Amino acid sequence: MHKNIRFKQRCGECGALFEDGEEIYLWDNRYVCCECFDNLFAALSRTDKALRGGIVVTNYPISE
């Protein structure tokens, strides 16, 4: 068996093969292509987008 054989990986959402040098994104423990990333991100609520970006979400008035 050849140890130098490299297997192409696929997008965890649509199954497309990744090409060398292609940007891929880790989304919920699987890698996805740029198109699937855009679709997954667009489907999130505003709150979920903020939380994934590390932004604190609170309600007014702010309790201290």
Side-chain angles (χ1 to χ4, degrees):
M1 185 159 280
H2 297 285
K3 293 184 180 181
N4 293 339
I5 294 176
R6 203 175 106 197
F7 294 96
K8 292 259 185 181
Q9 292 190 7
R10 294 181 176 272
C11 173
E13 185 72 10
C14 72
L17 285 172
F18 294 134
E19 297 297 325
D20 290 346
E22 178 181 358
E23 282 187 357
I24 58 175
Y25 303 85
L26 184 59
W27 185 277
D28 292 340
N29 297 318
R30 68 186 195 272
Y31 285 99
V32 298
C33 67
C34 58
E35 290 183 23
C36 287
F37 174 80
D38 289 343
N39 292 335
L40 290 165
F41 195 80
L44 292 175
S45 69
R46 181 182 295 125
T47 301
D48 287 336
K49 287 177 185 174
L51 293 174
R52 281 190 179 257
I55 297 167
V56 175
V57 178
T58 189
N59 293 335
Y60 187 83
I62 299 170
S63 303
E64 297 200 27

